Amino acid sequence: MFERINGHEQVLFCNDPDTGLKAIIAIHNTTLGPALGGCRMRPYNSTDEAIEDVLRLSKGMTYKCAAADVDFGGGKAVIIGDPLKDRSPELFRAFGQFVESLSGRFYTGTDMGTTPDDFVHALKETNCIVGVPEEYGGSGDSSIPTAEGVLYGLKATNNVLYGSDDLSGKTYSIQGLGKVGYKVAEKLLEDGADLYVTDINESAIKRIIDQAEGLKGNVRVVEGNEIYSVPADVFVPCALGGIINDETIEQLKVKAVVGSANNQLLRDEHGKFLQEKGIIYAPDYIVNAGGLIQVSDELYSPNKARVLAKTKAIYDTLMEIYQKSNEQSISTAESANQFCNDRLTKRMKRNSFFSHKKRQKWNVRN
């Protein structure tokens, strides 16, 4: 286990028998500022599985923060439990106390399996919470800018593929119709795109079919793993990570992969494998940064105009990564990592004191 956490600054195991809380907080890197990352809740099969998830996710947040140009480092939290049965106000208050014990080194909020309302309870124990509802001083639904970022990623990718940002007239295979995937699907249909979709939630499938009525685009539903082999232009993964692997790459018939799911590549080398197959990969932590941009901006007091401007910049960042990938004959995953490492190196001796004081001044909850 200790070999796996090598490279992380801090890993905190949280246990509160009274509420049933079992959680792990991982702080990967605070070069750019305090760690920031959501908290997901899943019924992990083992503590080891939860550790693997939180370590991968927190490292990804370091790169996502660097790419999005926000004054935060990478962190993540996971709660081991079934969100349908185990959540309670007391559990999230206990979790908030553990966050507070880190003395401002870690900010968190909603992620898969948790809701903004859960963190209203955590907010009673710590100010280091983001993404709460607007009536509690938050910035609202972070899935909205996340979906916007995916759409900018799709536009940039279409520009490379077809010489135009136009989203219409193409076919997209969308895996997952959750908070982000549904919004992306809805917008693509409005723009006249055709979709293949899959989701374990039958109500989401029905909603998107109903939504398509009267719009320009069409929806075709496929079952589970069939989504990997459909003849679409772009694969849009918006569910779990690790779905780009040896098995699925062989099935893909798309020209590009652009989606919101975290850690889409099972291993780093799968980015190279996609390149060898002639499939453009939009690094997920670049594309899905819209929600991060919103919740980090929230700490300076919510401002939708600032969030929109930074989210639009995802397009330019991705175009730069594509260009360097082509110029240096490296995969887009390598190009994105290089982009972020360069930014981390340049700012290693700056940022922390200034950004801390700035947050103290602007944070409306302090």
Side-chain angles (χ1 to χ4, degrees):
M1 181 182 73
F2 292 106
E3 291 181 0
R4 283 180 291 171
I5 65 175
N6 183 34
H8 281 70
E9 293 182 9
Q10 187 174 4
V11 177
L12 176 68
F13 291 81
C14 314
N15 182 41
D16 184 71
D18 290 340
T19 63
L21 174 71
K22 293 182 179 179
I24 307 169
I25 298 172
I27 297 176
H28 177 254
N29 186 295
T30 57
T31 297
L32 297 180
L36 173 64
C39 172
R40 64 175 47 183
M41 186 173 187
R42 285 184 60 195
Y44 292 97
N45 293 319
S46 66
T47 301
D48 275 358
E49 184 183 23
I51 292 170
E52 284 293 341
D53 202 26
V54 76
L55 294 181
R56 279 169 54 85
L57 290 166
S58 56
K59 182 177 179 180
M61 287 303 300
T62 294
Y63 286 94
K64 186 186 292 191
C65 287
D69 195 22
V70 297
D71 293 339
F72 290 90
K76 205 77 174 182
V78 297
I79 295 175
I80 302 171
D82 186 340
L84 298 179
K85 297 186 299 184
D86 300 328
R87 66 164 17 102
S88 69
E90 292 75 23
L91 182 144
F92 281 92
R93 289 193 69 157
F95 176 71
Q97 290 176 333
F98 281 106
V99 172
E100 180 66 13
S101 74
L102 291 167
S103 303
R105 278 176 52 78
F106 177 63
Y107 286 75
T108 192
T110 185
D111 200 303
M112 183 183 299
T114 62
T115 70
D117 288 334
D118 292 328
F119 291 92
V120 170
H121 303 296
L123 189 61
K124 296 173 183 177
E125 304 293 341
T126 179
N127 275 331
C128 298
I129 299 295
V130 294
V132 293
E134 292 181 77
E135 58 268 30
Y136 289 92
S139 53
D141 186 356
S142 63
S143 70
I144 295 173
T146 303
E148 283 291 323
V150 174
L151 292 166
Y152 283 121
L154 288 168
K155 289 180 179 181
T157 305
N158 280 1
N159 193 340
V160 173
L161 287 172
Y162 308 109
S164 169
D165 296 350
D166 193 1
L167 297 174
S168 66
K170 310 295 186 301
T171 303
Y172 304 87
S173 51
I174 303 180
Q175 182 185 50
L177 294 172
K179 291 181 285 187
V180 175
Y182 190 90
K183 292 179 178 66
V184 172
E186 188 176 34
K187 176 60 177 173
L188 289 173
L189 287 171
E190 290 173 358
D191 282 3
D194 292 327
L195 308 180
Y196 290 97
V197 300
T198 189
D199 195 287
I200 59 174
N201 186 339
E202 290 296 329
S203 64
I205 293 289
K206 185 179 184 305
R207 280 179 63 212
I208 201 64
I209 292 173
D210 293 342
Q211 188 77 25
E213 292 183 10
L215 296 178
K216 301 174 185 177
N218 298 304
V219 175
R220 281 165 281 189
V221 179
V222 300
E223 295 295 325
N225 292 339
E226 292 178 22
I227 198 71
Y228 299 115
S229 58
V230 297
D233 291 297
V234 183
F235 175 40
V236 186
C238 296
L240 293 173
I243 45 80
I244 302 298
N245 51 55
D246 292 341
E247 182 179 345
T248 59
I249 288 174
E250 290 303 313
Q251 299 177 56
L252 291 175
K253 299 176 182 177
V254 296
K255 299 179 179 70
V257 177
V258 185
S260 66
N262 287 312
N263 297 324
Q264 292 167 27
L265 304 179
L266 183 61
R267 299 191 305 274
D268 288 345
E269 58 262 36
H270 286 120
K272 185 68 173 176
F273 296 163
L274 286 174
Q275 181 189 34
E276 291 170 352
K277 194 172 179 179
I279 298 174
I280 296 176
Y281 169 62
D284 50 65
Y285 63 78
I286 305 292
V287 171
N288 65 17
L292 165 71
I293 290 168
Q294 176 167 300
V295 297
S296 62
D297 182 83
E298 181 180 304
L299 290 168
Y300 304 112
S301 77
N303 186 300
K304 292 183 179 180
R306 282 200 307 261
V307 172
L308 178 60
K310 268 192 168 292
T311 303
K312 281 183 176 180
I314 289 173
Y315 179 101
D316 296 324
T317 300
L318 195 53
M319 290 298 288
E320 182 177 343
I321 285 165
Y322 285 158
Q323 181 181 350
K324 289 185 177 180
S325 168
N326 185 56
E327 290 173 350
Q328 299 177 25
S329 298
I330 58 176
S331 72
T332 55
E334 292 173 294
S335 177
N337 288 346
Q338 186 182 99
F339 176 92
C340 295
N341 284 326
D342 287 346
R343 181 164 284 173
L344 285 164
T345 299
K346 289 175 182 176
R347 299 192 182 171
M348 193 169 290
K349 295 183 179 179
R350 307 181 188 279
N351 236 44
S352 296
F353 177 79
F354 174 68
S355 61
H356 171 68
K357 288 297 182 183
K358 192 164 55 175
R359 270 186 292 277
Q360 279 191 328
K361 179 180 178 182
W362 287 2
N363 188 346
V364 294
R365 294 198 294 266
N366 282 344

